[in-house]
Amino acid sequence: MATQTNQETLTVQEAIEARQSIRKFKEEQIPRTVIDQLFKMVRLAPSAWNLQPWRYHVITDPALKVKLQEAAYGQTQVTSAPAVIVLASDMEDVLHHLPETIHPGMTEEQKQTEVANLSGIFNAMTVEERGQWGLTQTNIALGFLLIAIKGLGYSSVPMLGFDQAKIKELLGISEHAKIAAMIPFGKQDSDGYPHHRFELDRIVTFH
Ligand SMILES: Cc1cc2nc3c(=O)[nH]c(=O)nc-3n(C[C@H](O)[C@H](O)[C@H](O)COP(=O)(O)O)c2cc1C
């Protein structure tokens, strides 16, 4: 994995194979440079029409983590981790900034046509429908995030076991947004479970 710092990083294959859900972390804070590097990588995740509906919230405040943990039915990994990422998907925000998603190489006329086209497609959907569509894209970023965290030498656990409305209220996230996951992360202080997965013939069909 390409990096501009001298910390130890894993190859993509190593990161994928070594990633396991970790639920107990060391108290060690995560340097801001590492967090910035992480987001510089995950913002490169692909999305249809390059709409990038993902919006990341990073929580390090201990009192706020206690409240997040309560909203996550007491799951202790939330306060164990030095940092927690809440990954939200906000298609309404995307629609408000459509011109920003258009590639700068396009002519002004092409840009206007593309914005009108996208606007037509998404405004024909309900807020709920396009919210669900955005979530499918944001989950691509979640995959990138989990591997990038591991690649940078950290561990995480993706979580969906929480009260969405409470998390939105705590973080000031709009009601229409969808939360793809809460991801506590840090240096691991416990082992994960060994991988337990389907055999390839259960999940892969060759034609
Ligand atoms: C979207 C998603 C939501 C999850 N929610 C929780 C959760 O709320 N709490 C938890 O302890 N683990 C949660 N997990 C972790 C899974 O249990 C774990 O990824 C799975 O058992 C495979 O184990 P591994 O991640 O160690 O490979 C979640 C995983 C995903 C991908």
Side-chain angles (χ1 to χ4, degrees):
M1 189 171 285
T3 174
Q4 276 125 37
T5 70
N6 58 7
Q7 75 205 19
E8 199 178 314
T9 56
L10 306 183
T11 65
V12 173
Q13 183 176 352
E14 285 168 345
I16 288 173
E17 289 177 351
R19 191 214 57 80
Q20 294 171 308
S21 289
I22 296 298
R23 297 174 177 83
K24 191 165 179 281
F25 301 90
K26 293 184 179 157
E27 279 185 26
E28 227 176 278
Q29 292 306 305
I30 304 163
R32 179 58 193 264
T33 49
V34 170
I35 296 183
D36 288 347
Q37 193 183 1
L38 181 65
F39 287 117
K40 278 183 189 161
M41 288 198 288
V42 297
R43 84 190 175 118
L44 299 177
S47 54
W49 289 299
N50 202 24
L51 292 186
Q52 308 162 66
W54 38 76
R55 302 290 182 266
Y56 296 93
H57 296 254
V58 183
I59 301 97
T60 53
D61 176 59
L64 189 49
K65 281 193 286 176
V66 169
K67 290 181 184 160
L68 292 180
Q69 181 166 307
E70 282 165 10
Y73 314 115
Q75 296 193 68
T76 53
Q77 59 264 31
V78 180
T79 52
S80 171
V84 177
I85 296 171
V86 169
L87 173 49
S89 180
D90 192 341
M91 279 301 290
E92 302 314 296
D93 195 42
V94 166
L95 289 186
H96 282 115
H97 298 94
L98 271 183
E100 285 177 39
T101 63
I102 310 295
H103 199 279
M106 283 192 176
T107 64
E108 209 45 52
E109 199 188 336
Q110 285 172 324
K111 280 184 196 169
Q112 281 175 16
T113 308
E114 188 66 0
V115 167
N117 179 35
L118 291 171
S119 204
I121 292 168
F122 287 102
N123 282 310
M125 297 181 186
T126 63
V127 171
E128 176 61 23
E129 282 168 348
R130 59 185 180 242
Q132 287 298 337
W133 183 91
L135 203 47
T136 66
Q137 306 301 305
T138 300
N139 279 318
I140 299 170
L142 174 60
F144 270 51
L145 181 68
L146 300 178
I147 300 308
I149 288 172
K150 192 69 210 177
L152 291 174
Y154 290 80
S155 295
S156 68
V157 51
M159 295 170 57
L160 263 181
F162 53 81
D163 181 327
Q164 288 248 348
K166 279 193 190 146
I167 298 293
K168 286 181 193 173
E169 194 186 323
L170 286 169
L171 300 179
I173 296 173
S174 304
E175 215 176 296
H176 61 248
K178 306 280 179 197
I179 301 179
M182 182 191 291
I183 307 110
F185 81 110
K187 289 281 181 189
Q188 76 182 72
D189 198 25
S190 64
D191 293 329
Y193 295 106
H195 292 308
H196 171 61
R197 295 294 193 272
F198 289 133
E199 295 300 330
L200 291 190
D201 61 6
R202 163 78 55 216
I203 59 168
V204 183
T205 307
F206 291 94
H207 297 272

